[in-house]
Amino acid sequence: MLSAWDRRDRPPEEGLAAELRGFAVDKTFLSSLKGILLETELDFLRCVSAIIIFLVVSFAAVTSRDGAAIAAFVFGIILVSVFAYDAFKIYRTEMAPRATQGDQQ
């Protein structure tokens, strides 16, 4: 059984650096087409999930009919519109041109 003393006595190549090598970022993958598409899809999904969460929370807050709840509802609707605009811009600039380029080839 390995203890903390055994890890400290080993050279760094065999210790922590070897364990963290699997978590390194592959820059060639991120600069490839698949990496760029993955990043774009994750950004788009972030916007869509934020829209859903803020809509649910906003409508749940407005059910109590307090002044603060109505303010939270208005703030949530403003945030939903900002995230919807962001998702629209991501789709138009990054996702839609690639789909039309694939159809032309």
Side-chain angles (χ1 to χ4, degrees):
M1 184 166 166
L2 294 175
S3 66
W5 293 104
D6 294 333
R7 285 189 188 160
R8 193 169 46 168
D9 294 336
R10 283 189 269 167
E13 298 87 35
E14 297 174 6
L16 185 62
E19 293 173 7
L20 292 178
R21 204 168 284 152
F23 293 107
V25 176
D26 186 11
K27 293 181 182 176
T28 57
F29 173 73
L30 290 177
S31 62
S32 70
L33 181 63
K34 285 184 180 179
I36 292 170
L37 287 175
L38 177 69
E39 184 179 338
T40 302
E41 289 170 358
L42 290 178
D43 199 26
F44 184 73
L45 287 176
R46 174 193 54 86
C47 289
V48 171
S49 63
I51 289 169
I52 293 169
I53 290 169
F54 276 114
L55 272 177
V56 168
V57 170
S58 295
F59 283 114
V62 82
T63 58
S64 70
R65 304 269 185 203
D66 269 346
I70 294 172
F73 173 74
V74 171
F75 183 69
I77 294 300
I78 291 170
L79 283 177
V80 164
S81 63
V82 168
F83 279 118
Y85 178 73
D86 189 24
F88 172 72
K89 291 299 282 185
I90 290 170
Y91 180 77
R92 269 192 82 191
T93 59
E94 297 181 11
M95 296 176 85
R98 287 193 180 90
T100 57
Q101 288 173 359
D103 293 340
Q104 293 174 356
Q105 293 175 358

